[in-house]
Amino acid sequence: MKKDTLIDVSIIFWIIFITLLYFFYRITDILTLLGLI
Amino acid sequence: MLDLILSIMLALFFLSLSFALGRKILSLFSFPLSFHEHILFSTVFGVSFFGLIFFFIGVFQLYYLWFFILLFLLLSFLFCKDILSFFSGMYSLIKTLFPYRYTSFFIRLSFLILSLFVLANFFFSLTPEIQWDSLVYHLTQAKLYASHHGIVELPYDYHTYMPKQFDILYVLGEVFALHQTAKIFTFFFNLFLMLGIFFFVRRYWNYDVALLTSTLFYTIPTLALYQSTTYNDIPATLFLFYSCYSFVLLLQTLNKKFLLLTGVFLGAAAATKILLLSLLPFFILALFFFSLQQKISLQNKKYSSFSLILSKACFFLDALQLFLLVFLFLSPWMILTDTQVDNPVYPFFYSVLDGGHWSASLEEYWSTLRADYGSGRSVSSFFLSPWYITMEPMRYGPVYGITPLFFMFLPLFFFFMLFSRSSFFSSPLQKKICFFFLFFSLFFFVVWFFLASDIRYLFPILPALTLLSVLPFFHLLQSSSLGRRVIPSFLLLLLFTNLFFFFVAHRNTVQVLFSIQDKESYIHSYVQNYPMAQWINAHLSDDVLLFIANDDRVYFYDKPYIQGYPIIQGVIDYPSLQSAFSLYSLLLEKGVTHVVLVKHHATDDYTSFEGYYNEQITNLWLALVTEYGTLITVQDDVALYTLN
C-alpha cells in the first residue's frame, strides 16, 4: 500500500473509531435520561 | 400573544437602536471594515455601550418607564435613519449566508440544519424562562432593580455584586413589564456570534469553511441549549470573539485603531463575565510577541535603531492602552461593588481583600466546591479532560455535551500542520490566525481547568476550536479522494446527532410551544416554589416581608423578601446563630413577617453541601417555624408561616 493511502485509511479509521465510541458512550446517557433504558 | 409580539418588537427596536448608537460612535474613527462587518461591529459595540448607559441610569435611580420612553424617543429622533438602515442591512447580511448556485449538497444540508436550529431557538425564546441561574439572579436582580427604580444593593445573593454589563440590559423588559423581552433579546443578540464567526472565517478562508464552522459551532448541544436562555456565557463569548476578530484585523492591517476595538470588546467581555479578565495577560503577551516579530522584520529591512526603540516604546503604549480600555468598561462595576462591600472583586479574594456579608467558612465552602469540580485538579485529569469533556460531560454540566468534533479533528490539525503533503495554510496570515487561536485556547483552557471547570465557562474558546477542527476536514476533502467520499457523511451524522440532542434537551419546551402543556404546569415542573409564589402574590399585601429560607430561585415572588439560602449570602451568618431564638430575633430586627420553607429540603443529600449547608441549619429553620411561627398554607411541599 502507498504511504499516502495508508495515512488516509488510518485517518478515516480514527474518525470512525471516535464516532462509534462517542455513540456507544453517549446514547446510553441520553436514553437513560429519557427513561427508555 | 400580544405580549409576545410587543416583546419581539421591543427587543428588535433595542437591537436596532444599539446598532445606530454603535455606528455613530464607530464612524468617528472610520474603521476600514466591510459593509457587513460594519453592521456586526456597530451592533455589538452599541449593545456593550448600552450596558454602560444602563449602569449610569441605574446609579442615578432612573429605571422608570417614562424615562426609558423619553430616552428612546430622543434617540429614535436622533438616529431615525440608522435605525431603519439596520433592518435593510441585516437583510443583506443574512442573504450573504444563503448558499449560492454552485454550493455542494453537503454545505446546503449544513445550512438547512443551521436554519432549523436558529428557527427552533427563536420559538424556544418565546417560552417562559426555567433555567436555574436565570431564576436565581440573572433575571431576579433585573426585576428587583426595576422595582426599586435603580441599582440598589442586594446583599442576599453574592452574584449581584459581580460586573453585569449584559445582565443589566434585562432591566429593559422588566421596566416595560414585558418579561419575555430578555429571552428574545438574548436570542437575537446571540445570533451575532454565529454571524461574526461566519464573516470572520469567510474573510480569511471561504464561504464553505465559514458556513460549516458557524453551523458546527451553533449546533454544539450544550451551546444550543443556552442560545435562547438569559445566561451571560454566550454574550461574554460573543464580546470576546469580537475582541479576537479585532485583534486579527490589527495583525492584518497593522492599523492601531483596531487595538481600540480589541480593548473595548475585551472590556465588555470581562464586565459580562469576570473570569474573562484572565485573558488580558494573554492579549498583552500576544501583542508583545507580534510587536517583537514586527521588530525582527524591521531589523531585516535595516531600519534605523531609532525606529527599533520606537517600536519597543510603542508596545508599552499599546499594552497600556489595552489595559486602560478594558478597565474603562470594568471599573464602573468594580467601583460600585467596592463602595458597597469594600472589595472590588467580591466575593473573590476574601482572605486578602475582605468584604462585608461574607465569611471565612463560606470562602472555604466555595473553594472546596471548586476544587472538586469536573474531574479534579491532578496532572492526569488535566490530560484526560478532553476525553471527559467529550464522553462524560455530566462531570462538568448538562448531559448533552460538546460533540466529538474536537476530539476527532484537533489531533488531525496538528498532524496536517506538521506532515501535510500539500500546503495546509494558503497564506501566512492564516497560519498566524491559527497559531493565535491555538495559544489563546490553550491559555484559557488552563485557566478554565484550574479556576472554573464548568462546561459553560469553556464556551469562550469553542469558536476558535471549531475553526481549528473544520480546517483539517476541508484539507481532507481537497487532498484525499477516500476522505472526500467517506468523511462528509460522518459530519452529517454528527450534525443530526446534535439535532437529536437539541430536541431531547427541549422536549418539554416543544410541548409548551404547541400548547400540549400549559405554561403554569411547565414552569411548575421545573420550579417547585411556583404555586407558592403565585399564592403569595395573590393573597398577601405589599407591606409584608418574606424570609425565603431555603430556596434560591426567587424570581416569581412579587412581594418584598429577604433570602436565607446559606451558600449564596453571608448576611445571615448561620454558624454564629446559636439557637432558633437568635434567628427569630434577627428576623424580627429586619422586619420579617412571614417565613417560606421548602419542607423536604431536610431529606436532601447534604454531602453536596458538606461543610456549610448542613443538618444544623435545617434544624434551625424547623425549630424557628415550630416555636415562633403559625402555618398558613402549604403549596406543593412549600410551606408559608407567619412569625408570631
Side-chain angles (χ1 to χ4, degrees):
Chain A
M1 211 186 282
K2 273 167 69 181
K3 193 185 156 199
D4 285 357
T5 324
L6 197 69
I7 290 173
D8 279 358
V9 169
S10 24
I11 287 171
I12 286 160
F13 175 76
W14 167 251
I15 289 172
I16 294 171
F17 173 69
I18 296 289
T19 313
L20 289 178
L21 202 65
Y22 176 74
F23 279 115
F24 185 71
Y25 244 86
R26 300 308 328 284
I27 293 295
T28 42
D29 292 335
I30 298 297
L31 292 180
T32 315
L33 179 84
L34 291 172
L36 295 175
I37 51 169
Chain B
M1 190 65 188
L2 184 70
D3 265 22
L4 285 182
I5 294 169
L6 287 175
S7 301
I8 296 171
M9 282 167 66
L10 182 63
L12 283 176
F13 170 73
F14 186 63
L15 210 57
S16 61
L17 205 62
S18 308
F19 162 73
L21 186 72
R23 183 163 149 165
K24 276 281 174 246
I25 299 172
L26 291 192
S27 67
L28 298 176
F29 299 92
S30 57
F31 287 102
L33 291 166
S34 73
F35 170 69
H36 293 130
E37 283 168 339
H38 256 297
I39 300 172
L40 296 174
F41 277 75
S42 302
T43 316
V44 176
F45 181 78
V47 169
S48 62
F49 199 72
F50 256 120
L52 215 55
I53 294 176
F54 270 51
F55 169 83
F56 286 108
I57 299 174
V59 166
F60 291 112
Q61 310 292 314
L62 283 169
Y63 286 155
Y64 288 98
L65 187 59
W66 63 263
F67 182 82
F68 276 102
I69 291 175
L70 266 181
L71 178 77
F72 287 167
L73 277 177
L74 181 76
L75 289 178
S76 316
F77 178 71
L78 284 174
F79 307 135
C80 79
K81 258 190 185 168
D82 291 320
I83 290 173
L84 289 175
S85 72
F86 171 73
F87 295 100
S88 56
M90 279 311 285
Y91 174 70
S92 114
L93 198 136
I94 289 165
K95 238 171 61 180
T96 322
L97 237 74
F98 275 78
Y100 50 94
R101 210 169 151 190
Y102 303 106
T103 312
S104 67
F105 171 73
F106 170 65
I107 297 294
R108 274 167 194 270
L109 207 58
S110 310
F111 175 76
L112 212 68
I113 293 172
L114 176 67
S115 316
L116 192 66
F117 267 83
V118 172
L119 208 67
N121 268 327
F122 169 68
F123 285 111
F124 293 152
S125 77
L126 305 179
T127 58
E129 181 62 276
I130 41 92
Q131 291 291 336
W132 198 288
D133 283 14
S134 297
L135 301 179
V136 176
Y137 64 99
H138 292 297
L139 288 179
T140 308
Q141 65 187 5
K143 188 176 175 178
L144 289 172
Y145 290 148
S147 68
H148 285 98
H149 304 296
I151 294 180
V152 288
E153 189 175 353
L154 303 170
Y156 295 97
D157 186 348
Y158 75 86
H159 298 100
T160 59
Y161 290 104
M162 289 179 173
K164 37 191 171 289
Q165 187 89 353
F166 189 78
D167 280 356
I168 202 70
L169 301 176
Y170 301 149
V171 167
L172 183 72
E174 299 296 335
V175 169
F176 278 82
L178 294 167
H179 307 292
Q180 207 59 41
T181 314
K183 252 188 120 176
I184 297 168
F185 175 72
T186 315
F187 159 76
F188 280 123
F189 186 60
N190 287 345
L191 280 185
F192 281 81
L193 177 55
M194 187 266 285
L195 293 171
I197 294 170
F198 176 82
F199 282 97
F200 174 80
V201 182
R202 202 183 72 137
R203 188 186 178 100
Y204 298 107
W205 280 267
N206 55 42
Y207 173 85
D208 288 6
V209 182
L211 193 85
L212 194 65
T213 310
S214 38
T215 306
L216 285 172
F217 174 74
Y218 197 82
T219 57
I220 292 172
T222 306
L223 219 132
L225 182 70
Y226 292 122
Q227 286 288 357
S228 57
T229 61
T230 47
Y231 277 27
N232 61 9
D233 304 87
I234 302 180
T237 307
L238 193 154
F239 288 129
L240 186 70
F241 180 77
Y242 277 83
S243 179
C244 294
Y245 198 153
S246 315
F247 193 80
V248 171
L249 284 169
L250 172 77
L251 295 184
Q252 186 200 352
T253 59
L254 297 179
N255 186 338
K256 285 285 164 66
K257 282 177 190 168
F258 284 114
L259 192 67
L260 284 176
L261 281 182
T262 310
V264 163
F265 288 133
L266 185 60
T272 304
K273 210 156 188 67
I274 191 78
L275 178 69
L276 300 191
L277 185 63
S278 59
L279 280 164
L280 179 62
F282 172 78
F283 274 89
I284 291 178
L285 275 176
L287 207 61
F288 176 70
F289 177 76
F290 287 115
S291 74
L292 207 69
Q293 225 183 18
Q294 221 180 319
K295 200 172 117 183
I296 292 164
S297 70
L298 281 176
Q299 259 169 345
N300 291 344
K301 284 174 191 164
K302 294 192 174 61
Y303 274 82
S304 68
S305 59
F306 177 70
S307 63
L308 292 178
I309 294 165
L310 207 65
S311 77
K312 201 182 255 176
C314 267
F315 159 70
F316 284 109
L317 281 178
D318 289 348
L320 188 70
Q321 200 179 342
L322 195 69
F323 187 83
L324 288 178
L325 280 164
V326 169
F327 278 91
L328 174 80
F329 274 86
L330 203 54
S331 56
W333 299 106
M334 284 187 155
I335 292 168
L336 180 75
T337 308
D338 196 60
T339 54
Q340 289 170 338
V341 280
D342 292 331
N343 177 355
V345 285
Y346 183 88
F348 305 112
F349 303 111
Y350 176 78
S351 46
V352 188
L353 296 167
D354 240 344
H357 317 317
W358 207 242
S359 61
S361 51
L362 268 169
E363 166 94 348
E364 198 191 320
Y365 166 77
W366 279 106
S367 57
T368 324
L369 190 78
R370 281 192 205 103
D372 293 337
Y373 233 73
S375 50
R377 298 285 167 278
S378 64
V379 180
S380 63
S381 72
F382 178 79
F383 289 105
L384 280 173
S385 51
W387 164 267
Y388 288 136
I389 297 165
T390 312
M391 300 299 184
E392 296 171 23
M394 301 81 81
R395 289 166 177 258
Y396 303 90
V399 68
Y400 309 103
I402 57 160
T403 79
L405 178 79
F406 309 116
F407 211 57
M408 242 184 217
F409 287 109
L410 279 181
L412 292 187
F413 175 83
F414 292 105
F415 179 80
F416 285 141
M417 204 170 61
L418 298 173
F419 308 108
S420 173
R421 285 156 285 183
S422 51
S423 66
F424 187 50
F425 303 108
S426 53
S427 74
L429 189 64
Q430 283 185 358
K431 197 173 177 179
K432 226 181 207 180
I433 294 169
C434 285
F435 271 95
F436 171 70
F437 275 153
L438 209 60
F439 284 106
F440 166 78
S441 307
L442 189 68
F443 184 91
F444 189 75
F445 189 78
V446 174
V447 172
W448 172 83
F449 182 81
F450 287 105
L451 290 186
S453 48
D454 189 307
I455 225 157
R456 280 188 292 131
Y457 305 151
L458 197 63
F459 287 173
I461 56 169
L462 293 190
L465 290 183
T466 314
L467 174 64
L468 297 181
S469 310
V470 165
L471 293 178
F473 168 77
F474 273 93
H475 186 72
L476 271 176
L477 280 192
Q478 279 161 5
S479 62
S480 147
S481 59
L482 195 62
R484 197 159 37 239
R485 272 174 282 159
V486 179
I487 296 169
S489 50
F490 274 92
L491 224 52
L492 276 181
L493 191 69
L494 287 182
L495 279 175
F496 279 108
T497 318
N498 289 353
L499 197 66
F500 171 64
F501 280 17
F502 181 59
F503 281 106
V504 168
H506 283 288
R507 62 197 181 283
N508 294 334
T509 324
V510 172
Q511 285 188 13
V512 76
L513 200 63
F514 291 107
S515 305
I516 299 168
Q517 191 179 16
D518 65 295
K519 275 185 187 176
E520 309 280 310
S521 65
Y522 170 71
I523 300 173
H524 185 199
S525 64
Y526 287 93
V527 190
Q528 193 188 357
N529 68 36
Y530 186 64
M532 177 53 91
Q534 297 300 90
W535 193 93
I536 287 173
N537 296 344
H539 292 89
L540 294 188
S541 62
D542 284 340
D543 55 357
V544 295
L545 184 63
L546 306 168
F547 172 65
I548 302 171
N550 54 352
D551 206 350
D552 53 352
R553 290 177 297 169
V554 288
Y555 176 71
F556 296 107
Y557 292 96
D558 289 343
K559 305 294 171 195
Y561 57 80
I562 61 172
Q563 276 175 272
Y565 200 69
I567 54 171
I568 57 169
Q569 54 91 36
V571 184
I572 299 166
D573 186 24
Y574 288 100
S576 72
L577 296 171
Q578 299 302 317
S579 62
F581 179 72
S582 42
L583 178 61
Y584 174 65
S585 8
L586 184 76
L587 294 182
L588 279 191
E589 207 177 284
K590 290 185 183 295
V592 171
T593 55
H594 294 72
V595 177
V596 180
L597 192 68
V598 183
K599 281 179 102 178
H600 283 100
H601 256 297
T603 56
D604 277 358
D605 176 17
Y606 287 113
T607 47
S608 57
F609 295 112
E610 207 168 359
Y612 199 78
Y613 185 177
N614 49 32
E615 216 162 347
Q616 280 87 6
I617 296 178
T618 310
N619 289 338
L620 202 66
W621 290 324
L622 290 175
L624 172 81
V625 292
T626 28
E627 287 172 35
Y628 305 103
T630 316
L631 181 71
I632 303 178
T633 178
V634 180
Q635 304 281 330
D636 188 29
D637 236 19
V638 184
L640 176 70
Y641 300 86
T642 46
L643 270 192
N644 301 330

